[in-house]
Amino acid sequence: MDWQGVVHNAVYLLYFEVSRVEYFRELGLRIDVGTIQHANKMILVRNEINYRSPARFDDLLDVYTRISAIKNTSFVTEGLLFDHGSGRVVGENVAVHVWLDPKTDRPVTINNAFRKAVRRFEGTTAAIEWPTSLE
């Protein structure tokens, strides 16, 4: 809580992060310390939040996340945070992640397995660029 009696603005970042992790699990990605540091190494490079209405102590909130775009080395997630009881929008999030080579920490082309998993999950609502070849 902040001094105004609402959920502190930084906490919204945590809500959206938890939702992204659960989204990756729904895709079938193995999410643990080993894979995050190796096979599925990705970093957050941009995080935007629009605060639409305040969340207060003990509010029940629903968070929805989706991948809206995949480019060569990056992908975009979008999140919506709603008050469960009223359905009012509490916040909106756009986050950009970059896939990294675990040995060099340099951006690498996102693998087609990830692209296919997102396509299966999102259908045609995600803008997915398909590389002509993978290194």
Side-chain angles (χ1 to χ4, degrees):
M1 307 303 294
D2 68 13
W3 62 274
Q4 295 177 359
V6 298
V7 173
H8 189 277
N9 61 67
V11 175
Y12 289 67
L13 292 169
L14 178 60
Y15 296 155
F16 289 117
E17 179 68 16
V18 169
S19 184
R20 282 192 297 270
V21 168
E22 292 306 315
Y23 178 94
F24 295 141
R25 285 189 174 128
E26 285 293 319
L27 283 182
L29 265 64
R30 188 168 152 222
I31 301 295
D32 58 36
V33 173
T35 58
I36 293 292
Q37 294 176 349
H38 299 289
N40 296 324
K41 189 168 187 178
M42 56 188 96
I43 59 167
L44 182 68
V45 297
R46 184 174 183 180
N47 211 1
E48 299 175 24
I49 295 181
N50 293 321
Y51 302 95
R52 297 296 182 199
S53 62
R56 302 195 183 281
F57 180 78
D58 229 12
D59 282 355
L60 182 59
L61 303 171
D62 296 317
V63 187
Y64 297 91
T65 296
R66 73 183 200 105
I67 290 179
S68 59
I70 301 175
K71 300 204 178 253
N72 184 37
T73 62
S74 65
F75 63 94
V76 179
T77 61
E78 296 176 346
L80 289 172
L81 182 63
F82 293 95
D83 177 83
H84 182 77
S86 68
R88 72 182 155 80
V89 177
V90 174
E92 303 164 338
N93 174 248
V94 175
V96 179
H97 293 77
V98 172
W99 210 283
L100 297 180
D101 179 298
K103 294 177 184 161
T104 66
D105 281 339
R106 302 289 305 151
V108 294
T109 300
I110 296 173
N111 64 61
N112 280 344
F114 181 76
R115 294 170 199 274
K116 289 176 183 176
V118 172
R119 176 61 78 216
R120 279 191 304 274
F121 198 74
E122 295 294 344
T124 58
T125 64
I128 301 175
E129 295 177 13
W130 296 87
T132 53
S133 67
L134 290 177
E135 296 179 57

